[in-house]
Amino acid sequence: MLLRSALCAAVLLLCHPNASFAQDAARSVLAEQGLAGRIDAAIAPYFKADAPGATVIVVKDGKTVLRRAYGMADTSKNIDMTPEMALRIGSLTKQFTATAILMLLEEGKLSLDDDITRHLPDYPTRGKKITIEHLLTHTSGIVSYTSKPGYGAGMAQNLTVAQMIDSFKNDPLDFEPGSQFRYNNSGYFLLGAIIEKVSGQSYASFLEQRIFKPLGMNDTYYEGVGRSKAPVAAGHTRSGTGFGPAKPLSMTQPYAAGSLVSTVDDLARWDAAVSSGKLLKPASWQRAFTPYRLSDGKPTTYGYGWGISQVQGSAAIGHSGGINGFSTYGLRLPDQKVYVAVLTNSDAGPANPSVVARKAAAIAIGKPYREFTEAKLDAAALDAVAGTYEVEKGVQRVFRRTADGLVTQRTGLPPTPVKAASSTEFFLPGSLDWFEFQRGADGKVVAVTHHQDGKPIVSPRIGNAPPARQAIKIANASFDTRVGRYELAPGFVLELTREGDRYFAQATRQGKLEIFPMSETAFFAERVDAEISFEGQDLVLKQGGRNTPGRKL
């Protein structure tokens, strides 16, 4: 009788609501552990124990699913990375700069439609109206100081805010304000100066007092101005012999465009505050996450300090960061209440933090990206998919067979190797994108589908692949007659130079690009889809479907 009573009591206990809650909680814990294991298995292979590493956090429904460190914090001192370490976050800083501007907007101290000369009266806008919103959305046309030739040579120099602005303010505009999107660090530098002018505080002090302290972000600070108790990971860059120390950089230069240091824990606190609508009114947050529209009405993929994209078809809001020694990515999936932060202490691989973050987020929402294993195909199978495919009017994607396999090239972009997973499926190594070829009733390929973040883009086959451009040998003396500067537009010059047997072209505010001769009068670049031809003393630049003449200066 006692045994039966005890058994009944046990059954009653199991049926009791509290017991049910306990079971649900246990199942939830097991599910979270399983999710953490799947995420870890997917991203751990990107990091090696003896190489620069990363700190990673994944949060879902307000709960930390995964918080881990990989690799080394300092390869020279053999120090392992730990989850609580602080790292430079680079351009994730822009989220905080944009939020500070919106806080001042809500206080009535500025308007997004303000001409920047209202707050920076000495800035030369050359008769153009450049607004605060243009700065927030990378549409100002102002030259980005980090893309100017020779910028790297002076990166270690301490400069005042005024001196930095002087270094780019007199350059001609790249385009009419509001007409184009072009990522721009100068715009966010100027936003920092506006924050200081309007608030009466330094940029570092404003962020600390108005954002970091109220949100409990005790390990986030402007490098060189503040610090925390969190240990700091060393930055690395890749060299011919492996990874070494990052190149020196004065943090007076990235300023409001990329000067902050943080931890994944603090970034998770930041996302929790953003998600719950702290600091700003709902309408302001909505504006920050809405793609800006250009003057012709076309939307960009950028709001105020956040980029707008998708992860496996789900809305995503995020930003990357790249700065000396570090690469980062922060990603929000607002509908699924998922946040991922990946902070790495290398500016040149081995892992792409964007890929790592997207993989983790996709697993967290139950839609993992496909994993591919390379398959060996014969020449006939590769020839079957080679061809030209129309992405949209004026934009094509070419698949071309090479001695090493298959490469793809979209109009205006450099060729990229692709690997076969089967006779119809190919993937981009180091990326999450893949291609699927469709065949007609006769078995011939008629189209290709580009699978990109859950958004399939179908492109019909419109012809064979054009022959690959072949470099030939010409006399250096022949090229020397072409050496010089060519004006493509007012303030925009293409300079041709020779270094030994190698030939180079460099456009204003862009890096040096090697070019290869197709004939005595025609040259092509491999890193970008561009050709240069000569007509007498002048040249013609062919790029993006346009021919731009250049007059020799």
Side-chain angles (χ1 to χ4, degrees):
M1 193 69 175
L2 288 173
L3 179 61
R4 178 179 295 179
S5 298
L7 181 60
C8 290
V11 171
L12 287 172
L13 178 61
L14 288 174
C15 294
H16 194 277
N18 289 338
S20 177
F21 293 155
Q23 287 179 320
D24 289 343
R27 280 194 291 267
S28 177
V29 170
L30 289 173
E32 289 177 8
Q33 290 174 344
L35 178 56
R38 293 195 299 276
I39 295 173
D40 180 59
I43 67 176
Y46 286 98
F47 306 100
K48 296 180 179 179
D50 60 350
T55 58
V56 180
I57 198 165
V58 180
V59 180
K60 184 176 183 180
D61 293 323
K63 297 180 180 179
T64 299
V65 173
L66 179 138
R67 177 181 179 270
R68 285 207 58 178
Y70 302 88
M72 306 205 77
D74 191 328
T75 58
S76 66
K77 298 180 180 178
N78 203 34
I79 299 174
D80 291 334
M81 187 76 81
T82 58
E84 67 275 10
M85 282 188 164
L87 294 82
R88 288 178 180 170
I89 63 172
S91 286
L92 292 187
T93 298
K94 291 180 172 65
Q95 299 175 8
F96 300 95
T97 300
T99 300
I101 287 289
L102 292 174
M103 293 172 80
L104 294 170
L105 167 71
E106 291 188 352
E107 293 168 9
K109 296 180 178 178
L110 55 78
S111 167
L112 300 189
D113 194 48
D114 283 347
D115 191 306
I116 63 173
T117 56
R118 177 183 172 188
H119 308 287
L120 304 174
D122 296 331
Y123 197 90
T125 58
R126 294 172 176 76
K128 306 292 184 181
K129 182 178 181 180
I130 302 174
T131 68
I132 290 177
E133 188 172 39
H134 288 146
L135 302 182
L136 286 167
T137 56
H138 304 284
T139 58
S140 68
I142 293 172
V143 171
S144 183
Y145 64 91
T146 52
S147 67
K148 294 184 63 172
Y151 167 72
M155 286 190 298
Q157 185 178 3
N158 290 328
L159 298 173
T160 66
V161 171
Q163 287 173 327
M164 279 297 299
I165 293 175
D166 285 346
S167 74
F168 60 79
K169 72 178 185 181
N170 292 314
D171 292 324
L173 295 179
D174 283 339
F175 51 82
E176 186 76 17
S179 66
Q180 294 184 39
F181 171 90
R182 189 175 300 175
Y183 192 80
N184 188 315
N185 285 309
S186 295
Y188 271 78
F189 196 100
L190 292 172
L191 288 172
I194 291 171
I195 291 167
E196 294 194 347
K197 183 72 175 292
V198 172
S199 71
Q201 296 178 265
S202 71
Y203 172 77
S205 177
F206 185 95
L207 263 57
E208 180 184 10
Q209 295 181 23
R210 300 292 303 276
I211 298 177
F212 303 152
K213 282 187 176 180
L215 298 183
M217 298 175 64
N218 299 323
D219 295 320
T220 303
Y221 54 91
Y222 186 131
E223 183 177 338
V225 178
R227 63 177 297 110
S228 71
K229 295 180 180 179
V232 179
H236 299 78
T237 194
R238 192 191 294 271
S239 66
T241 57
F243 288 96
K247 292 181 179 179
L249 173 66
S250 167
M251 298 305 284
T252 63
Q253 298 199 21
Y255 184 51
S259 62
L260 297 183
V261 172
S262 190
T263 65
V264 291
D265 295 320
D266 267 7
L267 291 176
R269 292 184 183 95
W270 167 240
D271 179 70
V274 173
S275 300
S276 60
K278 293 182 179 180
L279 300 180
L280 297 172
K281 296 176 182 177
S284 295
W285 283 124
Q286 185 61 37
R287 290 187 73 174
F289 303 144
T290 300
Y292 178 76
R293 288 188 176 272
L294 300 174
S295 52
D296 63 3
K298 292 181 180 179
T300 65
T301 57
Y302 201 92
Y304 304 158
W306 276 270
I308 292 85
S309 63
Q310 290 186 337
V311 169
Q312 291 293 64
S314 295
I317 305 167
H319 212 291
S320 61
I323 194 167
N324 295 28
F326 301 84
S327 298
T328 63
Y329 202 83
L331 183 66
R332 306 180 61 234
L333 275 62
D335 295 339
Q336 289 84 2
K337 299 180 180 178
V338 167
Y339 179 73
V340 181
V342 178
L343 308 181
T344 75
N345 63 330
S346 167
D347 56 24
N352 180 336
S354 170
V355 171
V356 175
R358 288 175 179 275
K359 266 196 172 184
I363 294 170
I365 64 174
K367 297 180 180 179
Y369 287 94
R370 285 192 57 178
E371 300 285 349
F372 294 98
T373 301
E374 184 177 359
K376 297 296 182 183
L377 299 184
D378 58 23
L382 296 177
D383 287 336
V385 300
T388 299
Y389 300 79
E390 186 174 47
V391 179
E392 58 186 63
K393 186 177 180 181
V395 179
Q396 299 173 349
R397 180 177 291 280
V398 173
F399 288 87
R400 182 183 291 112
R401 187 163 70 85
T402 68
D404 298 323
L406 199 70
V407 298
T408 183
Q409 183 171 20
R410 180 177 164 130
T411 300
L413 297 176
T416 305
V418 291
K419 301 294 184 182
S422 70
S423 61
T424 58
E425 296 177 336
F426 291 75
F427 62 96
L428 289 169
S431 168
L432 300 172
D433 293 7
W434 60 285
F435 301 94
E436 184 178 15
F437 291 90
Q438 289 81 47
R439 299 178 185 271
D442 59 0
K444 294 183 179 180
V445 173
V446 296
V448 64
T449 300
H450 179 193
H451 294 274
Q452 186 178 43
D453 279 334
K455 181 182 178 182
I457 303 170
V458 180
S459 301
R461 190 178 190 276
I462 59 174
N464 295 327
R469 293 170 296 194
Q470 298 293 327
I472 66 169
K473 178 69 176 177
I474 65 172
N476 288 334
S478 174
F479 183 79
D480 287 344
T481 64
R482 314 293 185 190
V483 168
R485 300 171 72 247
Y486 299 80
E487 186 179 52
L488 302 175
F492 189 72
V493 172
L494 185 70
E495 183 174 11
L496 303 186
T497 58
R498 178 172 68 86
E499 297 178 10
D501 293 329
R502 301 172 67 189
Y503 312 139
F504 296 91
Q506 184 170 17
T508 300
R509 298 182 294 277
Q510 297 180 21
K512 188 179 294 186
L513 192 68
E514 187 167 9
I515 57 176
F516 304 88
M518 296 184 289
S519 70
E520 297 277 346
T521 59
F523 300 79
F524 70 94
E526 286 186 340
R527 282 173 45 203
V528 299
D529 184 16
E531 294 182 6
I532 296 170
S533 60
F534 288 90
E535 298 177 359
Q537 288 296 306
D538 298 331
L539 64 71
V540 175
L541 172 65
K542 181 179 179 181
Q543 187 175 19
R546 293 187 300 177
N547 293 336
T548 306
R551 178 180 60 87
K552 192 168 188 179
L553 299 177

